[in-house]
């Protein structure tokens, strides 16, 4: 691999950073809300599954 001097490295980093497409404030807000909704739904799902399993174990063990 060819050695790169520090100035050339910085230029290359800037060129690559300019290629990055950053999300808008609206896109970030929507994604954040979607994450919170999915976390809430998944936590409710696992709560229900846990309760069903606990009920099943109680029926099997007869407690």
């Amino acid at each position: 691999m060819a050695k790169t001097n520090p100035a050339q490295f910085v230029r290359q980093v800037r060129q690559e950073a300019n290629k990055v497409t950053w999300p808008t404030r609206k896109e970030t807000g929507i994604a954040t809300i979607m994450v919170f909704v999915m976390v809430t739904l998944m936590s409710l799902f696992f709560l229900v599954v846990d309760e069903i399993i606990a009920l099943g174990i109680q029926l099997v063990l007869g407690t």
Side-chain angles (χ1 to χ4, degrees):
M1 189 186 295
K3 296 246 178 184
T4 306
N5 67 22
Q8 186 179 9
F9 175 76
V10 170
R11 278 194 300 275
Q12 290 174 353
V13 169
R14 284 188 178 164
Q15 286 175 348
E16 290 299 319
N18 286 335
K19 294 178 185 178
V20 174
T21 303
W22 295 101
T24 63
R25 181 178 288 277
K26 183 179 179 181
E27 291 171 335
T28 304
I30 290 171
T32 303
I33 290 168
M34 288 173 57
V35 167
F36 281 120
V37 168
M38 290 307 295
V39 166
T40 303
L41 290 175
M42 292 308 296
S43 64
L44 290 172
F45 170 76
F46 285 116
L47 173 69
V48 170
V49 170
D50 183 54
E51 291 298 322
I52 291 171
I53 291 171
L55 179 64
I57 289 174
Q58 286 177 353
L59 289 174
V60 168
L61 297 177
T63 57

